[in-house]
Amino acid sequence: MSLWIAVVVAGLGSYALRVLPFLAGDRMHVSERAQAGLRHAGMGAITALLVLGVVTVLRPGSGLAVVPVVAALVAATVCALMGRSMLATVVIGAVTYVAALVLMSPGLLGR
């Protein structure tokens, strides 16, 4: 139940942040420094979630395979550094994760 509460709160917060500039219009002035920080807020949030996910995977006893996660992180990082879009970066990371997971499966290639 708490998961759905978090999803609803995140959705409402996202909606409020998107609507606020339209409602405030010209009445709200933000400094250049604040604008530069806000431009990178989304990527910062994604990075924080990514780090949290990696820390969870690397915890002893988590039961998750570490190699596919690291491979996906490396592939997504390379894709992002090449200047690809966020969608391309996420897709490349996901495809790399699945490929590494499949290649590590015990029944593959007669192992």
Side-chain angles (χ1 to χ4, degrees), residues 6-68:
V7 169
V8 169
V9 169
L12 290 174
S14 175
Y15 180 74
L17 289 174
R18 292 171 193 268
V19 169
L20 183 64
F22 293 115
L23 297 177
D26 292 330
R27 293 175 284 191
M28 189 170 100
H29 297 286
V30 180
S31 70
E32 290 294 323
R33 186 173 180 181
Q35 287 179 14
L38 288 172
R39 266 187 232 113
H40 300 291
M43 187 57 71
I46 291 170
T47 303
L49 289 171
L50 187 63
V51 168
L52 181 62
V54 170
V55 168
T56 301
V57 167
L58 295 179
R59 247 186 231 149
S62 69
L64 297 173
V66 175
V67 174

